[in-house]
Structures are given as structure tokens and as C-alpha cells.
Amino acid sequence: MKLHWIQRPGLAGLMAVVIAACNNDKGLQPQAHDANVYQQINHRMMAEMDKMTDTNDPDHDFSMMMRMHHQGAIDMSNEELKSGDNQAMKAMAQQVINAQTAEIAQFAQFLQSHKAVPIPAGPTYNAEEMESMMKMMRAQDVRILTGNSDVDYAQLLIDHHQSALEMAMSELKYGDDAQIRQMATKIIEDQKKEIGMLQDWLKANKNY
């Protein structure tokens, strides 16, 4: 799936204004996005996705994409377990690892036995998937990251989960395999719940 990375000329100016404003608060020291370990993980994930060749079979392409997407979340969660301090965030990280490792195995099993069959709506499906990933990138680009593992993990995982939600919703629109549709439904339910938990944690720990 070619994500076609785009340049956003106004973004640098926007971030300069945001960082300048934040530097007035001595308690917050913004970190360059490319220096942030979680953003580095997401960049690697996006590079892997960019190598993917679409089959225009929604069930097949969703399964291939979600294996890489889930691995990105697992890598982020392993980093949180290593670098984080907050027990609630570390528990969330372990929950993500457990659930998404199991789902990767299910997707791999499906792909091993499934022959991709293109459908006319396949390119439309893949365009929606690409837009979901581009939205995640745009959302993460304007996050204020500080190098605090717990806060950065929570913020970026929200965006990561939101893109998975949207991809799963596209699968339900275009896919027809019962197993993969069931997995998409579970991803929507689980990650909506986790997004709410992450948002509640960030609100309660805004001065963390």
C-alpha cells in the first residue's frame, strides 16, 4: 500500500508557534518528533506498510495491514514497559501486547490459507485505508511530545488506535469473510474502550 508521504509546508510554522508557546511554560520541554522513540516506531511501521502491494481483496489487504499496524502498537507497548513509570499505562501496554499478539496470529493463519480475490470496490477500500493512515500521521504531527514515556505513549496510542478503528470500519463496509469481519468488530469494540481509558488518563494526569 503506497501511502505517498506528503509535505505539509504549513506544519513547520505551526509547530514552531506551538513549541515557542510551550517553552514559556518552564515545566514543559517539547521534544523534536524525529527524536521521539514512539514516533520512530511509527515511522518504521509506515515504511513497512508502504512496501505492501494491494491485492484489492479487502479481507486480504485488511489482514496484511493490520498485522503491521498491530506490530507497531506492540513495539510501542514494549517501549512503554521498558521506559514508562506509571502503572496504569504499563498495564495498558501489557493489555495491548496480549490482545494484539493473539490477533496477529489469527491474521497470519487466515493469510496462509486465503487466496486473494480482487473485487471492483477493492481500490475504493484501499483508498479509505490510506486516508485512515494519513489522518493518523497528521494527528501525530501536531502532538506536543516531551519525552515523558507515559504521556507520549498515551497520546500516540490514541491516534494509532483511531486509525485501526477506521480501517476496521472500512473492512466491515467492503469485506465479506465472516472471520475477518468478526475480528474487525472486536478491534472496534476493544480500541474504542481503550481510547476512552487513555483519554481519561491524560485528563487526570495533565500535569504528570
Side-chain angles (χ1 to χ4, degrees):
M1 165 169 282
K2 295 299 180 185
L3 297 174
H4 306 300
W5 290 64
I6 58 176
Q7 295 293 323
R8 293 177 291 281
L11 181 59
L14 172 62
M15 289 307 298
V17 171
V18 171
I19 290 173
C22 290
N23 280 337
N24 290 329
D25 180 350
K26 295 181 180 178
L28 184 63
Q29 298 178 354
Q31 182 184 47
H33 276 223
D34 287 346
N36 184 273
V37 65
Y38 294 108
Q39 282 292 65
Q40 292 168 4
I41 290 168
N42 279 315
H43 291 164
R44 290 196 296 269
M45 178 193 73
M46 297 297 291
E48 285 301 308
M49 285 185 169
D50 203 38
K51 298 175 187 175
M52 179 181 137
T53 300
D54 297 334
T55 69
N56 291 324
D57 176 332
D59 299 311
H60 202 91
D61 290 348
F62 175 73
S63 298
M64 288 196 295
M65 281 198 70
M66 288 309 299
R67 281 199 308 176
M68 291 179 277
H69 198 272
H70 274 10
Q71 187 60 53
I74 290 169
D75 292 345
M76 290 173 66
S77 298
N78 278 321
E79 179 62 33
E80 167 61 17
L81 290 180
K82 182 177 78 172
S83 304
D85 296 313
N86 183 271
Q87 290 307 308
M89 282 301 99
K90 290 167 82 73
M92 171 67 75
Q94 190 62 59
Q95 179 175 308
V96 168
I97 291 168
N98 294 345
Q100 298 198 15
T101 298
E103 288 174 354
I104 284 176
Q106 289 178 276
F107 284 126
Q109 185 177 34
F110 169 79
L111 288 166
Q112 189 173 15
S113 61
H114 181 260
K115 181 179 179 180
V117 179
I119 64 170
T124 303
Y125 162 80
N126 282 304
E128 288 190 11
E129 298 291 85
M130 183 177 73
E131 178 57 24
S132 295
M133 294 308 299
M134 295 303 292
K135 283 172 65 178
M136 182 193 82
M137 291 166 60
R138 290 192 292 268
Q140 292 184 337
D141 276 344
V142 297
R143 290 286 191 183
I144 300 173
L145 306 177
T146 67
N148 179 304
S149 185
D150 301 309
V151 175
D152 292 348
Y153 174 72
Q155 290 191 98
L156 294 175
L157 191 61
I158 287 172
D159 301 327
H160 199 274
H161 273 11
Q162 184 60 40
S163 63
L165 262 170
E166 292 175 5
M167 288 192 289
M169 290 170 69
S170 293
E171 160 62 19
L172 294 180
K173 282 171 62 178
Y174 298 102
D176 61 11
D177 184 89
Q179 176 193 355
I180 301 304
R181 287 175 58 84
Q182 184 178 20
M183 290 184 71
T185 299
K186 185 176 186 298
I187 286 169
I188 291 169
E189 292 172 352
D190 289 351
Q191 299 200 15
K192 273 186 178 178
K193 181 179 178 181
E194 289 177 359
I195 286 172
M197 293 168 65
L198 290 162
Q199 289 172 332
D200 287 345
W201 185 88
L202 283 168
K203 184 177 179 181
N205 294 274
K206 55 188 175 183
N207 296 318
Y208 184 77

